[in-house]
Amino acid sequence: MFTARDEQVSGWFLSNYNGVVHQMKPLNDSDSEKLLRTKAFSSMDGCLPDNLRLLCDEILNMCRGIPLFITSMADWLKQHQQQYGSSAVPRVEQVRLLLKQFEHLLSFDYSDELRQPSLYLSMFPQGYVFENKDHLAAILEYEGFIPEWDLSPDFGKRYFSWLLNRKIIIPAAENCGLNIDEDDLCQWQVNPFILRFLASRAAEMGLVFTSSTLTLAPSGGGNTTRIARRLALHHPDPQLPAMLQQMDLSQTRSLLISGAVDRTTVALDKFGYLVLLDLEGWENLKDEDLLQICKMFMLMYLSVRNTRVSKLPPQIKELRILRALDISRTNISEIPSEVWELKHLKMLDLRGTWIRHLPEKVKELTSLERLDISHTKISDLPSGVCRLPSLETLDLRGTLISQLPDQFVQIKRLGHLIVGSAGAGSGMIYSDQTVLTKIPETIHQLRYLKTLATIDLSEFSARSVQFLGDLQELRVLAITWSFHQCSDKDHQQALRSSIVRWRKLKSLTIHCGLGCSMEFLGSLIEPPNGLKKIKVIDGKFASVPRWIRGLKHLTFLQITVCKQVADDLKILAGLIELQHLVLGLEFIPEKAIVIEKEGFKELERFSLDCPVPWLTFEKEAMRKLTYLRLTLHAFPASDMSVPSGINNLKELTEVTLCYNVRYTNSPNIKMTTDAVSKEVAKHSNTIDLFINGIRKDVIRSSDKKEESATGSEVDAAEDGAQAADEATLRTTIQVQSEIEVEGETESHT
């Protein structure tokens, strides 16, 4: 058995050895308790004393569903009971110490320059959300973590990918799950299973100290005074004031405070050299605190995101070297004029505030590189924005700005323009968009644009569409395409010629008029061979375009076809890097659509919208598929034309069924939901089944057998112990996968 945290490593073994890759999930609360009590006390029966029950709850809370930790703690608890008697209950401190020892045994080397920033992630509380990939990159830059040997502007994104590949950073669960076609809207968070471990390692290295690791802070100067260069306080603790009193805070450069930490606990006047101050989500932050902060520090980074702050003090101008100011999701409704005196400001984030007007004086921020005014009530873009010489990113999503001024094309360094215009499922935009922002037809003059989403081309002339081909640096493009343009030959030819010229394009999204035929793209010649994502929303093809077979790097495809063509499935199955497929079929299959074991080697998520989803999955089909979504319709069908073979999808963990509630009593709907439920019940995995967004409890076949079986309490205990041992063996992969950042492999016997 080989274990690895890097999926690329596991893929290499799969291609070179005859085996399977098994991705583990943490145990739920019920299974965690069952494993602990069965292993420690040989039975789930009987009531535990209150003090022992509370200790078990604490153990389960700290183990967070990781079976290796649970079973190890259960063994220790069992030995403790045997040695000292059943009335002897260990202290919580002993549990914490033991878990720390377990983690230390699974530790790894963090000497590499790329891995030290990973330890810095322990600064953020569990559940902290990064709303975009640039957010983390900016913080790492101000902290000085970007290696001197790699100062390229794309380092942040590449490092973010490094974290994603090792699952140190994962999608935030609340917004990534059911909607497969909205992957670009994903927010990100630190993997909760590794966060506490990172905090422990960061404290041991003296890099970062949190509320829970302050006791590990080293002494300085030969006395009891402790030094913390980076400090994160996210949880109120009665001992926190005393611990902070013993620390030399004058050398702390970075401070993060959030949650319900009391204001009186943190004496800001004891911090003498703060460079980065992040107060995101600090419930007790007051307007007067900001005034004190501006008077005391020379910050480079200041964030009061998601707090109750209602105004910025005029003294903000005292932060003369401030590089980044984040006041997003606050109650601030006006920007004081003193902000425009911050000549070194590179990032200004105003999203989700109550601000209605952006003054012309914004032009004085000559160093500004990123401006985010998304989801505000701003209705006019001042011409001063067009005179920002350093502006590279402008986010206008969810605003009331209906048109950009003609002088907008004067922003010569602009690389990323995000305006949004099409609504839910559009990838680069949000679903609450209310205004279409018209873009000047001279937009092609911005030759450095890399991201352009989502622009409305419905009023663009064919000539202007053709000029868009001049944007040679485009990587991400999302457009709207009207019904008229779909049928106009000049517009068809203009779009085809532009697509061919975008040789660096990685992502293409086209929002079409409802029912538009996009068949004219079927004759596309030499599309950009580096395309990784294609979305055609509401538009239709007669069949899968043949040129798609040549896109060897395609990872995401959304397409709707109107005819059943034999080669279509082979084309899709042959896309060697395809991970996400959103497929619409506007026909009733004449026979079962068979998914064979060949092809779809990398597919992880599959969404199908079909009047009759007559799918049959053969054994070993879609080996990596974890998510299956079926959109159902009220069409007549036989009891044979229902999905089958779902239990052959070995890595499946979630199935979603969607249909219009008006058709709840439709025979086809009932037949399909019943068939899928039975397939899920037969699956060897525990599958999460959602129907119209509501989770359904499915009694697995194995559970039914267990309920009907009879035997003595001793036999039940032995079975439970055996199941626990098997769970431990299976989840060794998961623990290593979650903790071994190196991606190295180990052989276990």
Side-chain angles (χ1 to χ4, degrees):
M1 178 173 66
F2 296 96
T3 65
R5 78 164 280 101
D6 193 334
E7 292 183 359
Q8 294 180 351
V9 175
S10 61
W12 183 87
F13 276 99
L14 185 64
S15 62
N16 289 274
Y17 293 86
N18 185 20
V20 294
V21 175
H22 187 66
Q23 294 184 345
M24 295 299 298
K25 292 173 62 177
L27 300 179
N28 58 34
D29 292 343
S30 176
D31 289 341
S32 295
E33 182 181 8
K34 183 177 180 181
L35 177 60
L36 177 66
R37 294 189 60 174
T38 302
K39 192 75 173 175
F41 310 112
S42 301
S43 175
M44 279 289 293
D45 298 331
C47 295
L48 299 176
D50 288 345
N51 54 352
L52 185 56
R53 178 177 54 81
L54 291 174
L55 179 71
C56 289
D57 290 342
E58 184 68 19
I59 289 174
L60 293 173
N61 181 57
M62 288 188 284
C63 289
R64 299 188 181 280
I66 301 178
L68 179 60
F69 285 177
I70 295 172
T71 53
S72 298
M73 292 304 302
D75 287 339
W76 172 76
L77 189 58
K78 186 175 183 178
Q79 292 174 2
H80 189 280
Q81 297 275 294
Q82 292 173 347
Q83 184 174 355
Y84 298 102
S86 58
S87 60
V89 178
R91 292 179 292 109
V92 173
E93 289 74 17
Q94 290 177 272
V95 175
R96 291 174 178 166
L97 178 62
L98 193 59
L99 274 174
K100 183 178 180 298
Q101 292 172 350
F102 289 159
E103 293 172 338
H104 185 71
L105 291 173
L106 296 167
S107 63
F108 44 88
D109 183 21
Y110 268 100
S111 58
D112 191 286
E113 284 185 278
L114 277 178
R115 296 181 183 87
Q116 290 224 5
S118 304
L119 295 176
Y120 179 80
L121 295 176
S122 62
M123 288 281 284
F124 303 102
Q126 184 168 328
Y128 185 97
V129 173
F130 301 98
E131 303 214 357
N132 56 65
K133 299 178 181 180
D134 294 332
H135 183 187
L136 177 59
I139 293 177
L140 294 178
E141 178 184 352
Y142 300 132
E143 283 283 9
F145 278 121
I146 294 183
E148 294 183 0
W149 47 264
D150 192 344
L151 297 177
S152 63
D154 291 331
F155 170 80
K157 291 183 178 180
R158 286 190 284 107
Y159 179 67
F160 200 93
S161 297
W162 187 88
L163 294 171
L164 280 174
N165 289 338
R166 287 153 181 81
K167 288 188 171 58
I168 300 174
I169 293 285
I170 59 175
E174 64 268 19
N175 77 318
C176 296
L178 299 181
N179 298 323
I180 186 174
D181 57 342
E182 296 187 0
D183 65 315
D184 282 324
L185 296 182
C186 274
Q187 298 170 338
W188 312 93
Q189 64 181 357
V190 183
N191 190 326
F193 300 107
I194 200 172
L195 182 58
R196 192 165 62 88
F197 175 75
L198 291 176
S200 175
R201 293 289 292 128
E204 289 175 4
M205 293 183 63
L207 186 72
V208 171
F209 297 97
T210 66
S211 304
S212 59
T213 62
L214 277 176
T215 55
L216 300 177
S219 299
N223 52 41
T224 58
T225 304
R226 295 187 173 95
I227 299 173
R229 295 279 284 164
R230 296 175 179 86
L231 185 60
L233 308 174
H234 304 305
H235 306 289
D237 189 323
Q239 299 180 2
L240 191 56
M243 287 190 290
L244 291 178
Q245 283 290 335
Q246 299 177 17
M247 303 188 70
D248 179 7
L249 302 177
S250 64
Q251 299 185 51
T252 303
R253 59 167 284 128
S254 304
L255 174 65
L256 271 71
I257 310 176
S258 68
V261 176
D262 193 280
R263 292 170 67 225
T264 60
T265 298
V266 187
L268 292 175
D269 58 353
K270 298 206 172 182
F271 294 89
Y273 188 61
L274 282 182
V275 174
L276 185 148
L277 182 58
D278 190 337
L279 307 177
E280 191 270 334
W282 191 15
E283 298 174 7
N284 296 312
L285 182 66
K286 307 294 183 183
D287 288 346
E288 53 265 32
D289 294 326
L290 273 183
L291 176 60
Q292 183 183 7
I293 289 168
C294 293
K295 289 181 177 180
M296 293 175 55
F297 305 120
M298 291 298 291
L299 299 172
M300 294 179 62
Y301 181 100
L302 174 62
S303 172
V304 294
R305 180 171 71 125
N306 200 27
T307 63
R308 299 173 185 175
V309 169
S310 60
K311 64 179 180 180
L312 288 174
Q315 289 79 6
I316 191 77
K317 67 179 181 181
E318 300 300 326
L319 303 178
R320 296 184 183 88
I321 63 172
L322 192 67
R323 305 281 184 87
L325 177 60
D326 186 348
I327 61 173
S328 60
R329 296 182 179 174
T330 62
N331 295 324
I332 293 175
S333 59
E334 186 176 357
I335 306 176
S337 59
E338 287 79 7
V339 168
W340 316 123
E341 300 180 28
L342 300 174
K343 302 301 182 182
H344 296 282
L345 199 66
K346 291 186 176 183
M347 187 273 284
L348 180 59
D349 195 336
L350 311 177
R351 68 191 139 160
T353 61
W354 294 93
I355 295 172
R356 294 178 175 272
H357 176 66
L358 198 62
E360 185 68 24
K361 292 186 71 175
V362 68
K363 66 183 179 183
E364 297 179 13
L365 299 178
T366 53
S367 299
L368 196 65
E369 297 176 358
R370 181 183 179 90
L371 176 61
D372 190 338
I373 61 175
S374 61
H375 306 287
T376 62
K377 299 299 182 181
I378 296 175
S379 56
D380 292 302
L381 191 70
S383 59
V385 172
C386 306
R387 300 170 64 181
L388 292 171
S390 303
L391 191 64
E392 297 178 2
T393 301
L394 180 61
D395 193 339
L396 308 178
R397 287 174 288 187
T399 65
L400 301 176
I401 298 173
S402 59
Q403 188 166 357
L404 297 182
D406 290 338
Q407 59 265 44
F408 185 80
V409 295
Q410 297 175 4
I411 314 177
K412 297 301 182 183
R413 294 185 60 179
L414 192 65
H416 307 278
L417 173 62
I418 312 173
V419 293
S421 63
S426 59
M428 292 298 298
I429 62 176
Y430 286 85
S431 58
D432 61 352
Q433 179 70 40
T434 56
V435 173
L436 294 174
T437 304
K438 294 183 180 179
I439 307 295
E441 293 195 30
T442 53
I443 192 72
H444 65 275
Q445 295 180 18
L446 296 176
R447 300 299 174 88
Y448 295 104
L449 275 177
K450 295 181 179 179
T451 302
L452 187 55
T454 299
I455 64 168
D456 180 16
L457 298 184
S458 60
E459 297 184 9
F460 270 45
S461 66
R463 183 178 177 85
S464 297
V465 173
Q466 188 167 357
F467 281 154
L468 289 177
D470 293 342
L471 299 174
Q472 298 290 301
E473 298 299 318
L474 269 184
R475 267 70 164 181
V476 177
L477 176 66
I479 64 174
T480 62
W481 194 248
S482 69
F483 190 88
H484 162 71
Q485 291 169 317
C486 283
S487 57
D488 182 75
K489 291 185 177 180
D490 290 339
H491 279 90
Q492 292 176 0
Q493 177 56 33
L495 184 58
R496 282 195 299 260
S497 65
S498 290
I499 291 176
V500 170
R501 295 175 63 194
W502 293 323
R503 303 313 303 171
K504 297 181 180 180
L505 197 65
K506 304 294 184 183
S507 175
L508 174 63
T509 300
I510 304 177
H511 301 275
C512 310
L514 190 61
C516 284
S517 171
M518 300 299 290
E519 190 61 22
F520 70 91
L521 288 182
S523 59
L524 193 64
I525 301 175
E526 294 185 6
N529 56 18
L531 272 172
K532 293 185 176 182
K533 180 181 300 182
I534 298 177
K535 294 183 180 182
V536 180
I537 301 171
D538 289 332
K540 303 175 183 178
F541 291 86
S543 60
V544 176
R546 298 297 170 257
W547 49 265
I548 286 182
R549 74 168 79 239
L551 301 178
K552 302 301 183 183
H553 302 290
L554 199 67
T555 61
F556 191 110
L557 176 62
Q558 179 170 349
I559 190 173
T560 299
V561 296
C562 301
K563 297 179 182 179
Q564 188 168 8
V565 179
D567 289 343
D568 282 359
L569 196 60
K570 292 182 179 180
I571 292 175
L572 299 177
L575 295 172
I576 58 177
E577 293 191 15
L578 189 65
Q579 298 174 9
H580 296 183
L581 175 60
V582 183
L583 181 61
L585 303 178
E586 295 211 341
F587 58 83
I588 298 178
E590 299 176 356
K591 58 182 180 179
I593 300 173
V594 180
I595 309 296
E596 301 175 347
K597 67 177 182 179
E598 300 298 331
F600 295 113
K601 298 295 187 183
E602 300 296 322
L603 197 68
E604 298 175 0
R605 299 169 70 89
F606 179 31
S607 176
L608 178 68
D609 185 343
C610 182
V612 179
W614 194 358
L615 290 173
T616 297
F617 298 96
E618 291 189 345
K619 288 185 177 181
E620 299 186 20
M622 295 184 172
R623 294 184 180 183
K624 292 189 176 182
L625 195 74
T626 60
Y627 175 91
L628 175 64
R629 175 183 174 125
L630 301 176
T631 301
L632 312 178
H633 301 265
F635 278 80
S638 69
D639 55 359
M640 294 181 59
S641 56
V642 293
S644 62
I646 290 178
N647 57 323
N648 289 326
L649 302 171
K650 297 303 182 183
E651 299 299 320
L652 195 65
T653 58
E654 183 176 335
V655 175
T656 295
L657 303 179
C658 300
Y659 57 83
N660 192 312
V661 292
R662 292 181 297 174
Y663 305 131
T664 301
N665 296 322
S666 163
N668 183 39
I669 299 293
K670 285 186 174 182
M671 243 186 326
T672 305
T673 53
D674 289 345
V676 171
S677 298
K678 291 178 182 177
E679 291 274 335
V680 167
K682 292 189 299 182
H683 206 289
S684 58
N685 296 346
T686 300
I687 307 295
D688 293 329
L689 176 62
F690 293 88
I691 299 180
N692 282 348
I694 301 174
R695 182 171 180 169
K696 299 295 182 180
D697 292 328
V698 177
I699 300 178
R700 299 169 60 195
S701 301
S702 57
D703 294 336
K704 293 179 182 178
K705 293 178 181 178
E706 183 178 334
E707 290 174 2
S708 63
T710 59
S712 66
E713 186 176 345
V714 175
D715 291 336
E718 291 178 353
D719 292 340
Q722 181 179 355
D725 291 336
E726 291 174 354
T728 303
L729 179 61
R730 291 196 305 270
T731 53
T732 301
I733 297 176
Q734 170 66 10
V735 174
Q736 292 293 75
S737 172
E738 296 298 342
I739 296 181
E740 290 181 2
V741 170
E742 282 288 319
E744 297 175 350
T745 60
E746 292 182 15
S747 177
H748 297 262
T749 59

